[in-house]
Amino acid sequence: MTFITQRGGPPPMGGLSQEAEIGELEALVSGVNQISQSTLLLKKKKEMHEVDDSLDFMKGEYKTRMEACDERQREFERRQSEMKEQVTKFEKFIQENDSKRQRAEVKLKQEKKFLHAKRLEFTKAQTDLDAAEQARTKMIEDLDKLRKYREYLERTVEMSEDNTYEEMWDLLNRYRTLKTANTQLMEQVQQGEAQIDEMRNELYTLNSAHTNHMLVQNSKIHSHQKHVEELRVANKQGADMKEKEEEGKKNESRETGQVILAIRNLYTRCLNTMHTRVAAVGMEGDNPADRLQMLDLCLKTICERIVDLNDIELMFDDFKHEHDRLEAEKHALALESVVNLTARRRAGVVQGQAGSEAALQVRELGSASVFPRLLEEVP
C-alpha cells in the first residue's frame, strides 16, 4: 500500500519510438549553426512529449494515492464501526478514543486539504496541458504555413547565379545582414532627423531672440524718437514763448517810445503855444529814474496847459454866447429898419435917399450874409 505523499517511480517506457524520432530529427539539424523554425518545432515537440510523460506519471501516482485514500477511508469506517460496538464495553477508554478520534479528524481534514490542493494542481496541470495542446496545434499550423517559405528559399538557392548562395542559411544570413544594415541606416536617418530638428529648434530660438531683440530696439528707437519729438515740441514752444516775449518787449518798447514821443510832442506844442516863456525840461539821461522824473515834469506841464486851454475854451464859449446875443440884437434892429423901409416904399412916402441910407446901415451891420433876400429887395 502506498501513501499520498509517496513519490512515483520512473515514467513508463511507451515513448521510446518518439524519442528515437526526436533523436533522428536532432541528428539532421545538428550541423546547422543557427536554430531554424523546424528545429524550434522539434524542441517544442520534445518538450511536449516530456510534459505528456510527466502528466501520465502524475495521473498514475494520483490514481494510486486515490486508491490508498479509499482504502484508508474504508479502513477508517470499519474501525469506526468496531469502535462504536466497543464503546459500550470499553467506556473507560472513551475519552482516550475521543482524543484519538479528534486527532484522526484533524488528520483527515489535513488529508482532505492536501487532496483538494492536489486536485487544484491537477486542474492547473490539465489547463496547462490544454494550453500546450493548443500551442502545439498552432505551431503545427504555423509550420505548415512556413513550409512554403522554406521551399521558396530552397528554390531561390538552387536558382541563384554563380552559386552565390550555397545553402539556405547563406541567404538567411544575407537577409539578416541587409536587415541589420537597413536598421543601422534607419537609425542614422533618425539621428540625422533629430539633429535637423534640433538645429531647426536652435534656428527658431535664434530667430525668436533676434526678433525680440529687434522689437526691443525698435521700441527703444520709438521711445527715443518720441522723446526727441517731445524735445522738439518743447523747444518750439520755448522758442515761440521767447519770440512772444521778445515781441512783447518790442511792442512794449515801441509803445513806450511812442508814449515818450507823444509826451515830447505835446510838451513841445504846449511850450510853443504858451505866451509866457518857460524853461524846457531836458530829456537826455542814462538813469531811468531821472528820465521818469523828467517825463513826470513834462506830464505835469502838459496837464497844466490842458487845464488852461480848458479854461480858455470855457471863457471863449461865454464870450461867444455874449457876442452872438449882441449880434442877434443888431440883426433884429436891422431887420426892423428894413421892414419899416419896405413899408414906407409901399406907401410911397419914403424917398430914394432914405432907402440908400437904410441899405448902407444894414451893410455896416454886416448882415449881408445872413439876410441875402432882404438885400436883394433893396435898390
Side-chain angles (χ1 to χ4, degrees), residues 346-365:
R346 290 178 181 177
V349 179
V350 182
Q351 299 178 357
Q353 186 177 0
S356 299
E357 293 177 356
L360 181 60
Q361 187 177 1
V362 170
R363 288 188 183 95
E364 292 176 354
L365 292 174

Side-chain angles (χ1 to χ4, degrees), residues 37 59 73-74 97 138 190 219 251 303 332 362:
Q37 295 292 333
K59 286 181 179 180
Q73 183 71 23
R74 289 192 296 271
N97 291 331
K138 187 176 184 302
Q190 291 178 357
S219 178
N251 294 330
C303 182
V362 170

Side-chain angles (χ1 to χ4, degrees), residues 283-294:
M283 295 293 179
E284 300 298 331
D286 296 332
N287 192 358
D290 296 338
R291 297 180 66 182
L292 289 175
Q293 186 176 3
M294 293 176 183

Side-chain angles (χ1 to χ4, degrees), residues 359-375:
L360 181 60
Q361 187 177 1
V362 170
R363 288 188 183 95
E364 292 176 354
L365 292 174
S367 57
S369 61
V370 180
F371 305 104
R373 295 180 181 178
L374 294 176
L375 294 174

Side-chain angles (χ1 to χ4, degrees), residues 22-31:
I22 292 171
E24 291 176 358
L25 291 174
E26 288 180 351
L28 291 175
V29 296
S30 60

